[in-house]
Amino acid sequence: MRARITIALIAIPLLGVLALSGCASDSLAQDYGTGGSNYTDNSGLPVVISADKRTKAIDFTGTTVDGKTYTASDSRGPVTVVNFWYANCAPCRAEAPFLQGLSEKYRSDGVNFVGVNIFDQPAGALSFEKTYKITYPSVMDVDSGAARIAFAGAVAPTATPTTFVLDAKGRIAARIVGQLESQSILNTLISDTLAESK
């Protein structure tokens, strides 16, 4: 009986080691475990990219909630704010008034806002927009994934909400993963990026 207990006590930790070694061979698991570039802590703190470190312009085409075609390269302003969201995302609901408020504040400066809905069908997205009085367009990305592909490598595809600030050339100037706790951080990022084009 004592021998059986001893074998069982040895076997349990051994199974744990085998399970961990299986994960170790998975590159995605390794990237996540080491805080790799495709994953974040969802802290809501911004990552700012200086102009000399920015890479390619972001471009994608999709269909908006109301059935219109949206093409990022045709919709650029001096700054473009791109927010990834979906209707049942609680942080997305909490930050919606901040995004709408800033879109109104910077409209006269030519700053464009666009949402990217990664989960809903148009009816659900439209209900959200009516509830939160969102006036800027949202692209329905659930089927095509075109927007998520365009931003691949910049953030984990499931990290929602995520907000990007693009410069006048369409390059990522800043990124916030997680809920906007207030307007102030995003306001500063927009203002600083806008100042580059003046």
Side-chain angles (χ1 to χ4, degrees):
M1 182 70 172
R2 186 174 296 170
R4 287 182 186 167
I5 293 171
T6 302
I7 290 169
L9 290 174
I10 291 170
I12 291 170
L14 184 58
L15 287 172
V17 169
L18 290 172
L20 287 173
S21 66
C23 290
S25 63
D26 182 339
S27 62
L28 290 177
Q30 284 180 326
D31 191 38
Y32 177 78
T34 58
S37 61
N38 290 330
Y39 296 91
T40 68
D41 61 3
N42 296 333
S43 66
L45 297 175
V47 173
V48 178
I49 303 166
S50 61
D52 62 321
K53 298 272 196 306
R54 296 172 197 162
T55 56
K56 63 178 180 138
I58 299 293
D59 195 20
F60 62 91
T61 297
T63 303
T64 63
V65 172
D66 55 0
K68 296 177 181 174
T69 298
Y70 176 92
T71 301
S73 59
D74 294 339
S75 306
R76 283 193 190 120
V79 175
T80 303
V81 177
V82 183
N83 176 256
F84 284 74
W85 68 282
Y86 63 93
N88 284 332
C89 160
C92 302
R93 294 179 178 197
E95 70 179 16
F98 303 143
L99 290 160
Q100 176 59 29
L102 288 170
S103 76
E104 293 170 9
K105 175 179 179 177
Y106 286 102
R107 187 172 294 145
S108 62
D109 293 302
V111 174
N112 293 323
F113 277 66
V114 63
V116 176
N117 187 297
I118 67 164
F119 187 77
D120 302 311
Q121 293 302 314
L126 187 58
S127 176
F128 178 99
E129 291 186 351
K130 285 182 177 177
T131 299
Y132 295 98
K133 300 179 173 62
I134 303 298
T135 58
Y136 54 84
S138 274
V139 172
M140 304 305 298
D141 202 51
V142 64
D143 294 325
S144 74
R148 281 169 288 172
I149 291 168
F151 283 90
V155 71
T158 54
T160 308
T162 295
T163 304
F164 291 94
V165 176
L166 307 183
D167 66 14
K169 296 179 180 178
R171 303 173 303 173
I172 298 172
R175 178 191 73 199
I176 301 173
V177 179
Q179 179 185 331
L180 300 172
E181 299 296 337
S182 71
Q183 286 188 348
S184 60
I185 291 175
L186 183 57
N187 180 67
T188 299
L189 296 174
I190 294 170
S191 178
D192 289 350
T193 308
L194 189 58
E196 296 175 2
S197 63
K198 291 184 177 177

